[in-house]
């Protein structure tokens, strides 16, 4: 099976600086919350939350990572050559439309797959029958997420069938928490209780040959009882709490800083309007700087007239509508603004006016979306 790549453009002027020390430090700090034997699954779906999947995998070779979790088989193919030491867990469930070649590719490469239905298992069994290939399967048990898991009443039959089939191995049992990032953890504890009851009823707890897992970043940080044999961390590795915490138990340092240069400067008189729709009118003589980045690069249009950017140590307002690949900032009070000077668009400081928390609150979204939207053609520069 092949993954077809289109010619891939990288824009050298749009720069996402990736701080490898911060990434490795975050993983270290997260692991310090776990028992030494707890495995660490680094979640690198969505282009490693916008940080660049191959760059991130390469940096994490220096960390003690056991698994890389990706969304689809295509990402597994994409990073296969970079991950000799670690296993890959594909989060999308195998299903009857997966294709025989995909099932055998996963088995051949030792990629762990998620399964959540009896029908899918029958398909896997048929796909691999007659071969000596064995597919490692993790059963996704529904405990209250209300998404892809199999109901506990059917999960025991699925587990039985996996263990009976010569071409499949029960490698893991897991669940996913819906509210671990919220302040009120009562539903998350309820989910954990349901999951524990399932494990106990099926004699799965304490089995050496399977990996039991449940914790995402928030649960890794706030619910040690959810760690089991492995934690699955995404957002926290990249330096963010799923939701900003008042007194976090560990330090997380933002990994990415996004910058682009000023490409044009011009002055407009008071009363002149700026950009599409005339949503901003200058109240004074105003010096504008054009930054060659817009919503097509992942900078939300909803940030128009709201967000700030940093030019040197000065803060400048985004004024007028954010365009497809351009936006304007007000540099009237930035004495030394110059063409070619780099503007900080997403800062790597939690308290910055253009930090990810500030931007996600202005755009009424979560930090995940701000990060994952940074376009693949932005040049990731690893430091
Ligand atoms: C994306 C994902 C995670 C990571 O969640 P974070 O909140 O980013 O840590 C963990 N588990 C599953 C199943 C996921 O899909």
């Amino acid at each position: 099976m092949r993954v077809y790549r289109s010619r891939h453009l990288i824009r050298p002027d749009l720069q996402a600086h990736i701080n490898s020390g911060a990434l490795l430090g975050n993983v270290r700090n997260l692991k310090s919350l776990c028992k030494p034997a707890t495995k660490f699954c680094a979640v690198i779906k969505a282009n490693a939350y916008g940080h660049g999947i191959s760059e991130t995998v390469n940096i994490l070779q220096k960390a003690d990572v056991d698994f890389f979790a990706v969304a689809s088989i295509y990402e597994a193919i994409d990073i296969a050559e970079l991950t000799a030491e670690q296993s890959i867990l594909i989060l999308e469930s195998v299903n009857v439309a997966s294709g025989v070649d995909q099932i055998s590719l996963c088995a051949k490469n030792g990629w762990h797959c998620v399964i959540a239905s009896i029908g899918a298992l029958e398909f896997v069994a048929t796909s691999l029958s007659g071969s000596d290939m064995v597919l490692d399967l993790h059963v996704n048990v529904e405990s209250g997420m209300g998404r892809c898991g199999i109901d506990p009443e059917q999960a025991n039959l699925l587990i039985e069938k996996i263990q009976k089939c010569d071409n499949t191995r029960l490698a893991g049992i897991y669940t996913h928490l819906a509210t671990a990032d919220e302040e009120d953890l009562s539903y998350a504890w309820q989910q954990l209780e349901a999951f524990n009851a399932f494990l106990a009823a099926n004699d799965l707890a304490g089995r050496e040959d399977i990996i039991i897992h449940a914790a995402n970043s928030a649960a890794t940080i706030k619910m040690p009882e959810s760690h089991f044999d492995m934690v699955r961390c995404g957002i926290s590795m990249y330096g963010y709490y799923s939701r900003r915490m008042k007194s976090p138990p560990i330090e997380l340092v933002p990994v990415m800083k996004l910058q682009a240069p000023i490409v044009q400067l011009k002055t407009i008189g008071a009363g002149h309007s700026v950009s599409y729709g005339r949503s901003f009118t200058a109240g004074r003589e105003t010096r504008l700087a054009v930054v060659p980045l817009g919503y097509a690069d992942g900078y939300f249009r909803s940030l128009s007239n709201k967000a700030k950017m940093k030019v040197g140590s000065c803060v400048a307002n985004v004024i007028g509508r954010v365009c497809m690949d351009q936006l304007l900032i007000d540099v009237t009070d930035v004495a030394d603004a110059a063409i070619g000077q780099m503007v900080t668009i997403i800062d790597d400081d939690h308290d910055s006016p253009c930090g990810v928390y500030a931007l996600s609150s202005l755009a009424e979204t979560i930090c995940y979306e701000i990060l994952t939207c940074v376009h693949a053609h932005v040049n990731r520069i690893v430091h």
Side-chain angles (χ1 to χ4, degrees):
M1 210 178 88
R2 285 185 57 192
V3 177
Y4 293 92
R5 288 171 207 274
S6 60
R7 270 174 58 228
H8 193 60
L9 170 73
I10 297 287
R11 286 267 304 262
D13 56 333
L14 309 182
Q15 305 180 348
H17 296 276
I18 304 299
N19 179 344
S20 50
L23 180 63
L24 293 168
N26 294 337
V27 172
R28 235 182 355 258
N29 289 346
L30 287 161
K31 284 176 71 88
S32 76
L33 297 169
C34 306
K35 294 196 192 77
T38 308
K39 293 185 193 305
F40 190 88
C41 174
V43 181
I44 52 164
K45 63 195 184 197
N47 199 24
Y49 290 45
H51 293 66
I53 190 166
S54 42
E55 290 83 356
T56 301
V57 167
N58 276 328
I59 296 167
L60 289 175
Q61 295 306 319
K62 291 208 193 87
D64 199 2
V65 165
D66 303 279
F67 272 86
F68 286 111
V70 293
S72 69
I73 187 173
Y74 307 106
E75 295 154 272
I77 295 167
D78 190 36
I79 58 161
E81 284 165 15
L82 307 174
T83 55
E85 303 279 309
Q86 304 88 356
S87 308
I88 295 177
L89 173 64
I90 300 169
L91 294 170
E92 184 189 307
S93 310
V94 288
N95 59 71
V96 294
S98 293
V100 175
D101 53 346
Q102 294 192 8
I103 303 291
S104 40
L105 190 69
C106 291
K108 231 182 286 172
N109 284 292
W111 297 336
H112 291 224
C113 292
V114 165
I115 192 155
S117 82
I118 310 265
L121 179 72
E122 283 162 359
F123 176 71
V124 169
T126 315
S127 303
L128 297 177
S129 75
S131 78
D132 57 2
M133 289 189 279
V134 176
L135 185 65
D136 285 311
L137 291 171
H138 292 232
V139 175
N140 179 3
V141 181
E142 180 61 67
S143 66
M145 172 68 186
R147 195 170 61 176
C148 315
I150 184 168
D151 289 337
E153 304 81 59
Q154 294 164 358
N156 48 4
L157 180 60
L158 175 59
I159 287 168
E160 204 176 296
K161 283 179 179 281
I162 293 171
Q163 298 190 112
K164 278 205 189 119
C165 173
D166 289 338
N167 298 102
T168 56
R169 187 177 80 85
L170 182 65
I173 308 275
Y174 82 98
T175 198
H176 196 38
L177 303 172
T179 61
D181 62 320
E182 292 178 9
E183 249 161 62
D184 178 358
L185 290 176
S186 49
Y187 188 75
W189 289 118
Q190 221 171 294
Q191 276 196 264
L192 209 57
E193 205 173 290
F195 186 55
N196 271 318
F198 172 81
L199 295 174
N202 292 281
D203 271 335
L204 294 161
R207 254 179 65 173
E208 294 278 307
D209 58 333
I210 55 178
I211 304 168
I212 294 170
H213 47 114
N216 54 9
S217 291
T220 301
I221 294 166
K222 299 192 294 186
M223 303 169 73
E225 293 84 348
S226 70
H227 291 182
F228 297 99
D229 303 321
M230 179 163 85
V231 296
R232 307 184 302 262
C233 293
I235 196 73
S236 52
M237 280 202 307
Y238 307 104
Y240 299 91
Y241 304 92
S242 316
R243 186 183 298 243
R244 201 164 188 188
M245 285 175 81
K246 281 194 197 84
S247 44
I250 50 165
E251 190 192 16
L252 296 176
V253 177
V255 172
M256 187 200 303
K257 179 176 182 157
L258 178 65
Q259 296 190 309
I262 293 174
V263 292
Q264 194 181 343
L265 285 164
K266 75 179 219 177
T267 301
I268 58 168
H272 286 252
S273 65
V274 169
S275 190
Y276 289 121
R278 311 186 67 203
S279 63
F280 180 90
T281 302
R284 57 173 178 174
E285 188 175 272
T286 300
R287 197 162 183 235
L288 300 176
V290 179
V291 181
L293 167 132
Y295 59 79
D297 304 293
Y299 194 80
F300 287 47
R301 187 169 172 276
S302 62
L303 292 170
S304 302
N305 292 310
K306 287 187 186 161
K308 297 178 187 304
M309 294 189 173
K310 269 167 63 178
V311 185
S313 54
C314 300
V315 174
N317 290 330
V318 173
I319 55 173
R321 290 269 161 78
V322 171
C323 307
M324 190 180 288
D325 38 29
Q326 284 176 333
L327 55 81
L328 298 138
I329 54 176
D330 179 348
V331 292
T332 313
D333 301 321
V334 183
D336 58 353
I339 291 181
Q341 185 175 12
M342 294 309 275
V343 174
T344 299
I345 295 150
I346 298 180
D347 209 352
D348 56 356
D349 173 351
H350 289 314
D351 297 317
S352 168
C354 53
V356 172
Y357 293 131
L359 294 175
S360 52
S361 120
L362 288 172
E364 293 178 51
T365 182
I366 50 176
C367 46
Y368 298 69
E369 198 180 10
I370 298 290
L371 293 168
T372 54
C373 284
V374 174
H375 198 282
H377 68 203
V378 170
N379 188 17
R380 270 78 183 172
I381 302 169
V382 176
H383 299 273

